[in-house]
């Protein structure tokens, strides 16, 4: 704002509210606030009138009532007698599952494609360019539908696995690829001491975390030795041991067995089923977003000035170490913020699950619950709130990160 | 030893020998670009194999394509089990794919003409070298396009235009006194003109207009995507500028309103906003009024893209050196003047590529309206066409066609954006 | 920006919306059009034909009401609605009535504040399965994958059926009928469940309808009928008695062919009352004397509408069954016109 020299104050006049820059901003803010309050009041009173006219009310009691419908993918215990609230939580977990899987896969695709696009190999870099342009310029909804159609039309139904003249067979007798999803063996712990499912996996997780710390300690030890003697000891077998020995030992103690999927009745039973709708959504989101991430990665690497590479080379670093020690740390500063907003996009785009019948939160709370209870305002509000919370928490993480890597200049 | 003993002295340069065959032409190129080391060779061979496999699927499918049957069964009879696409679904349903299934058949020339005119209208905005006078047509285009697509009496667009003219005249008359008096006076004048115009149209109540009126409900197919895309992008740019300025403002109330609005919209998926347009918005309107679903969707998508564009423009504003703001102040310009004359022209120039990116994303997102039972291109495919008994089971041809259509438009726009970026890369470097 | 402002201004200035208040009849008359909510497309019940003209069993009810109120069976604006949007569209006044094979249930009638004005089709939820699967009863479906179209009472009935029979299943929710059909034909699900009438209509479009059986179990009662908002009883009466007029017309033998002759006056006082040549029923309902005559002329009586859209000679090929007149052992029964 232009703040001009203060005119000699000669008492307050009403016209100063408009003409005096010192007061004008208060006038504007007051007007804006009043307009906002009026707008909200207007919409609110319309809502009240409409609801009264239709004899409806705003109430969240429906969340406690039995939902009455079944959900196929249930990360937690759920049946048709559970409440709408629980159905929403199942939906939220399903959203988080697909978003997490897609984020990891998209990062892998994106980094690969971004690095390969800068490759000196003409054919590879052109292929990657085609991939990036093809996926960036077509709506993700169309990709989801295409991949879902590939799943349902190209893969065989369970029936073709049955009988003497079966036209399809399982891979290694362990994996079945059907148009209802992919079935894989499922680990189960048979030792009677370890019966609680969740606790077992927590135990596995704890061991993995411990291994990670162990591996890091070995790395630090190697660095210390190198700094003291100039020779880095060979540690790969130690690291490998730290990762695998405790894990295998734990598995043996817990009595790990694999339950293989078997064709029983109409479907494969046993094992883990990764449903077609999940796969379609997961891969469509991953491939689509991967194309955007590839562009971010490429831009990040190109943003590091060529002088850095040359300086590192003149210091005598090998190409691999140049990438690891010089280019990537600088490129990451450019890559990570857009990468996180791509993760945000994946989470938001996962709401397209509705197109393939994957029961995410838009499918349960914003889909069947909305249809069955007719509580449009309440459910849509809750739905928005959920996505808002996710987005804001990811943005908060991003801000913390941005502040931590901010270049400290001057 | 004498000089004469020198057996041979070359006086002139030998002619340049050609480089060895492995170091020139195609061979050199192949060696350097495809087989420079082991990893590269493996990658090259893998790529060629995958391209070959893809081609064995796609090429016969396209080459054997059938274009002139009236149902899937007929098409499969012709193919006799050979691999081939039933592209006849595209030729038979061509009009439905482009215009939806309700737009009057004999009126298809109207949206087509409007689409062609769009290029003429967009050209002066997109290419700065064209004569500035062409911008007059750009200004008139929305009214022409509205009249062409929706039809009805020509008086409505004319009065709408007159409203803008009246608003502008009032603005031009009073802007010298104060920007805000001019602005609000102009808006007021425009609304008065629209009100009077609306009354006149209502009174005249013309029964047989030149162009048959087509209700919004009847819009569909790719035309609907185009309408939503262009209308929402052109509406959301000014809204986005206002939001960006509001977010940069010194006034805390206005800043917080803008921040909350932007972050809220950016935090929720577009699909929930479409649900709002579809099932919730009606409850917030005064009892007794309803308006078109297409209009409600336009409002929601505009709000959505305005929030994203506001963030792009905020980036542009932040990228300007502080000296530019201070220079504006030191010249004695007030806020409106310094924004209009100094800050925004530069900030917008920086933001154009970002805005184009948002526009492409938005255009792609218009396919989401198929989820709320509107029959855009994807909605037509998923609903009436795949639902028809004759074409039940034709996926690739239809989805591939939709993908190509979107690819052509989006790729074209992003190429333009890159060209523009190169053109504008003149300063701030 | 100009365009949309302009559209907005135009909407405000020129277009007058429907009113969600008490006097729907006055609004419809003032508008000159009836806004009628239908499905986005179920063959036989409501679907646009090749020229975009809506046709079907539910559509005929809309047309009859339009003919009774406005005198023109074409004065209908058909608003396609999904399972998600139909109730909001009705509650918000976007549509005047909903004729979208909607099941009459307690909670919809009371909690959602709608008024069902009768039943135009008695339906029930059934299953379709490929013959090759060898399933003869829905109770054999233990462990099967079941495709469901979401947004209806179907999901709830299905959950109840499998729970009460203590067998398990895997639900696959699908948005539209056509996509459910694709999934079913690609064997991504073993069986597809929805209203039996829609199953018959869907099977009719298959390449080899004979390869698929509709299982004998009907797991729910689905009385389908038109509905209006609570609280506008006059309008509800008009929709209710238009439907009843179509039903009574079949019972009394009034057809679109002989209606001109019958309206000259007959010996049957009830026919005379319906056709407006005797008594003042039209006046009581707030319309003119010939309202029912126009409604019947719009598409014929109930039986004619049925035969033309979903009867045995159409691709849908439904038998009258429960939907025969009560005199023929069915459930279709109109209260008397007097």
């Amino acid at each position: 704002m232009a703040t001009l020299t203060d005119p000699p104050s000669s008492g307050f006049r009403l016209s100063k509210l408009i003409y005096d820059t010192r007061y004008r901003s208060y006038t504007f803010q007051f007007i804006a606030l009043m307009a906002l309050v009026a707008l909200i009041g207007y919409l609110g009173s319309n809502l009240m009138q409409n609801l009264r006219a239709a004899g409806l009310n705003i109430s969240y009691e429906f969340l406690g009532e039995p939902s009455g419908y079944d959900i196929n993918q249930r990360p937690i215990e759920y049946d048709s007698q559970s409440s709408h609230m629980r159905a929403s939580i199942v939906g939220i977990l399903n959203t988080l599952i697909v978003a997490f899987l897609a984020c990891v896969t998209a990062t892998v695709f994106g980094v690969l494609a971004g690095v390969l696009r800068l490759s000196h190999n003409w054919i590879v870099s052109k292929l990657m360019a085609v991939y990036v342009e093809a996926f960036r310029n077509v709506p993700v909804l169309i990709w989801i539908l295409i991949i879902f159609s590939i799943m349902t039309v190209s893969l065989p139904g369970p029936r073709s696995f049955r009988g003497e003249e079966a036209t399809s067979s399982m891979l290694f007798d362990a994996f079945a690829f059907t148009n209802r999803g992919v079935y894989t063996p499922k680990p189960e712990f048979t030792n009677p001491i370890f019966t609680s499912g969740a606790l077992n996996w927590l135990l596995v997780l704890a061991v993995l975390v411990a291994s990670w710390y162990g591996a890091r300690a070995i790395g630090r030890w190697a660095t210390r030795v190198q700094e003291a003697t100039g020779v880095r000891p060979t540690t790969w077998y130690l690291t490998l041991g730290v990762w695998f020995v405790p894990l295998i030992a734990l598995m043996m103690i817990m009595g790990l067995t694999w339950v293989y999927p078997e064709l029983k009745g109409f479907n494969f039973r046993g094992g883990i089923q990764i449903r077609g709708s999940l796969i379609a959504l997961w891969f469509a989101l991953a491939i689509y977003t991967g194309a955007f991430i590839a562009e971010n990665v490429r831009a990040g690497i190109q943003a590091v000035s060529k002088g850095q590479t040359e300086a590192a080379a003149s210091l005598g670093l090998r190409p691999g170490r140049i990438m690891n020690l010089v280019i990537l740390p600088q490129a990451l500063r450019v890559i990570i913020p857009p990468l996180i907003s791509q993760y945000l996009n994946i989470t938001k785009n996962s709401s397209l699950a509705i197109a393939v019948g994957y029961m995410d939160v838009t499918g349960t709370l914003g889909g069947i619950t909305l249809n069955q209870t007719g509580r449009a305002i309440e459910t849509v509000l809750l739905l928005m709130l959920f996505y808002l919370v996710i987005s804001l928490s990811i943005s908060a993480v991003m801000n913390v990160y941005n502040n931590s890597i901010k270049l400290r200049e001057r | 030893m004498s000089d004469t003993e020198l057996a041979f002295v070359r006086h002139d340069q030998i002619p340049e020998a050609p480089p060895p065959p492995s170091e020139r032409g195609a061979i050199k190129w192949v060696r350097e670009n495809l087989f420079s080391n082991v990893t590269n060779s493996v990658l090259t061979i893998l790529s060629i194999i995958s391209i070959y496999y893809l081609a064995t699927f796609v090429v016969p499918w396209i080459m054997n394509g059938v274009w002139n049957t009236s149902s899937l069964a007929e098409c499969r009879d012709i193919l006799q089990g050979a691999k081939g696409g039933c592209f006849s679904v595209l030729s038979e349903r061509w009009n439905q794919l482009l215009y939806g299934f309700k737009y009057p058949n004999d009126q298809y020339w109207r949206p087509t003409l409007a689409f062609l005119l769009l290029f003429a209208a967009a050209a002066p905005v997109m290419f700065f070298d064209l004569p500035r006078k062409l911008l007059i047509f750009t200004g008139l285009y929305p009214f022409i396009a509205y009249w062409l697509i929706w039809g009805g009496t020509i008086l409505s667009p004319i009065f709408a235009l007159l409203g803008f003219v009246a608003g502008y005249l009032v603005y031009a008359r009073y802007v010298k006194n104060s920007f805000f008096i001019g602005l609000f006076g102009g808006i007021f004048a425009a609304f008065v003109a629209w009100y009077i115009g609306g009354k006149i149209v209502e009174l005249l109540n013309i029964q047989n207009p030149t162009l048959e009126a087509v209700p919004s409900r009847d819009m569909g197919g790719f035309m609907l995507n185009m309408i939503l895309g262009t209308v929402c992008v052109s509406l959301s740019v000014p809204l986005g500028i206002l939001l960006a300025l509001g977010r940069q403002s010194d006034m805390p109330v206005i800043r917080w309103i803008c921040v909350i609005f932007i972050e809220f919209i950016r935090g929720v998926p577009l699909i929930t906003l479409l649900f709002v347009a579809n099932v919730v918005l009606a409850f917030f309107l005064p009892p007794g009024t309803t308006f078109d679903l297409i209009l409600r969707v336009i409002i929601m998508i505009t709000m959505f893209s305005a929030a994203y564009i506001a963030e792009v423009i905020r980036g542009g504003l932040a990228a300007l050196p502080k000296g530019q703001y201070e220079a504006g102040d030191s010249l004695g310009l007030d806020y409106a003047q310094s924004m209009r004359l100094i800050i925004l022209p530069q900030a917008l120039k920086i933001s154009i590529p970002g805005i184009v990116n948002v526009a492409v994303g938005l255009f792609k997102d218009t396919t989401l309206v198929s989820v709320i039972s509107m029959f855009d291109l994807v909605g037509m495919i998923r609903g009436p066409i795949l639902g028809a008994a004759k074409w039940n089971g034709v996926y690739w041809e239809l989805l591939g066609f939709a993908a190509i259509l979107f690819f052509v438009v989006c790729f074209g726009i992003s190429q333009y954006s890159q060209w523009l970026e190169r053109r504008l890369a003149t300063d701030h470097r | 920006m100009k365009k949309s402002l302009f559209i907005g201004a135009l909407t405000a200035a020129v277009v007058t919306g429907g009113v969600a208040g008490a006097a729907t009849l006055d609004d419809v008359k003032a508008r000159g059009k009836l806004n009628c909510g239908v499905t986005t497309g179920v063959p036989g019940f409501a679907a646009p034909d090749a020229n975009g003209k809506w046709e079907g069993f539910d559509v005929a009810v809309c047309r009859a009401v339009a003919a009774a109120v406005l005198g023109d069976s074409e004065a209908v604006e058909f608003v396609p609605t999904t399972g998600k949007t139909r109730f909001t569209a009705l509650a918000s006044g976007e549509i005047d009535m909903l004729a979208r094979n909607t099941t009459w249930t307690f909670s919809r009638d009371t909690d959602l504040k709608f008024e069902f004005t009768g039943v135009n089709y008695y339906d029930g939820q059934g299953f379709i399965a490929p013959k090759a699967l060898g399933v003869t009863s829905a109770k054999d479906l233990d462990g099967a994958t079941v495709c469901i179209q979401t947004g209806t009472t179907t999901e709830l009935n299905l959950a109840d059926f499998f729970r009460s029979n203590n067998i398990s299943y895997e639900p696959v929710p699908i948005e539209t009928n056509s996509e459910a059909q694709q999934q079913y034909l690609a064997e991504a699900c073993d069986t597809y469940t929805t209203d039996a009438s829609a199953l018959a209509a869907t099977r009719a479009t298959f390449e080899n309808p004979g390869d698929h059986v509709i299982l004998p179990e009907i797991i729910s009662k689905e009385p389908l009928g038109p509905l209006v908002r609570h609280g506008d009883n006059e309008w509800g009466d008009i929709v209710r008695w238009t439907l009843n007029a179509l039903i009574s017309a079949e019972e009394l033998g009034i057809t679109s062919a002989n209606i001109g002759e019958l309206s000259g006056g007959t010996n049957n006082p009830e026919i005379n009352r319906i056709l407006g040549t005797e008594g003042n029923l039209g006046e009581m309902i707030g319309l003119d004397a010939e309202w029912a005559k126009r409604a019947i002329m719009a598409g014929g009586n109930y039986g004619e509408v049925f035969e033309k859209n979903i009867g045995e000679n159409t691709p849908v090929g439904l038998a009258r069954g429960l939907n025969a007149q009560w005199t023929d052992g069915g459930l279709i029964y109109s209260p008397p016109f007097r």
Side-chain angles (χ1 to χ4, degrees), chain A residues 53-56 67-72 80-81 145 148 152 157-159 179-180 266-267 269 273 275 354-355 357 359 366-368 370-375, chain C residues 20 83-84 88 111-113 130 132-133 135 140-145 150-153 155-156 159 163 169-173 175 179 183 186-190:
Chain A
L56 297 169
S67 64
Y69 59 90
D70 285 298
I71 298 175
N72 47 21
S80 60
Q81 293 308 293
L145 291 174
F148 191 53
T152 45
R159 206 164 6 133
N179 57 5
R180 294 176 193 181
F266 296 97
N267 276 313
R269 302 278 183 90
Q273 181 190 5
R275 283 176 183 76
I354 202 164
M359 295 308 274
I368 305 182
L370 194 165
N371 290 334
Q372 298 303 351
T373 59
R375 300 253 169 218
Chain C
K84 189 187 272 70
T88 331
D111 190 32
L112 292 183
K113 313 284 180 196
L133 215 53
V135 176
D140 299 340
L141 288 172
D142 190 13
T145 303
T150 59
T152 54
T153 43
E155 290 130 335
L156 310 190
R163 200 165 58 90
Y169 73 110
E170 157 111 6
V172 177
E175 275 256 312
E179 278 169 328
Q183 294 282 308
E187 283 184 37
C189 32
D190 297 305

Side-chain angles (χ1 to χ4, degrees), chain A residues 348, chain B residues 260-268 273 303-304 307-308:
Chain A
K348 284 190 281 177
Chain B
I260 291 174
F261 178 84
I262 291 173
E263 291 304 325
F264 175 76
I265 298 281
R266 276 161 41 92
V268 298
L273 292 178
M303 280 164 57
F304 182 76
Y308 283 81

Side-chain angles (χ1 to χ4, degrees), chain A residues 281-296:
Chain A
L281 190 64
W282 167 14
F283 274 93
L285 289 176
I287 296 179
Y288 176 78
T289 317
F292 287 87
I293 294 178
E295 283 299 89
N296 295 338

